[in-house]
Amino acid sequence: QVQPVESGGGVVQAGGSLRLSCAVSGSMFRIYAMGWYRQAPGKQRELVASITAARSTNYPDSVKGRFTISRDNAKNTVYLQMNSLKPEDTAIYYCNRFGALWGWGQGTQVTVSS
C-alpha cells in the first residue's frame, strides 16, 4: 500500500510563500499522475494541482498563477510551490495519486494569517 508523506507546511502571512513536498514509496512513481489536494475546516477536500507522468499540469482558477506543481522522479517526490498566499488557502494539504487514489497520508497544515 503506497502511503504519501507530506511536509513543508507552516504559518505564513498573506502574500507569503511556502513549498510543500510529498515523498512516495515504490518504483512506479514516474508513471503516476499526481495531485495536491486540500481540505479546509468544514469543507470538502478539493484538488488544487495535478501533474501527469509527462509533466503536463492543471490548476483550478482559485490557485492558477499562484501555485506550481512539479515532480522529481529521481527522488519519488512531488512539490507544490505556493506564492501570493491568501487566508482562504488555509487548509490541510495532501498529495495523492491523481485519478486512482491511494490511502491518504497525514497531510501538512498550511495557515495563512491576514
Side-chain angles (χ1 to χ4, degrees), residues 36-60:
W36 278 99
Y37 304 77
R38 69 184 180 189
Q39 187 166 21
K43 295 189 177 181
Q44 288 190 331
R45 195 169 298 178
E46 63 174 345
L47 178 70
V48 295
S50 63
I51 185 167
T52 67
R55 302 178 189 271
S56 176
T57 60
N58 198 28
Y59 309 90

Side-chain angles (χ1 to χ4, degrees), residues 79-95:
Y79 302 98
L80 186 68
Q81 178 67 44
M82 305 186 295
N83 299 328
S84 302
L85 282 161
K86 304 176 181 180
E88 52 263 44
D89 295 319
T90 295
I92 300 175
Y93 284 71
Y94 305 86
C95 78

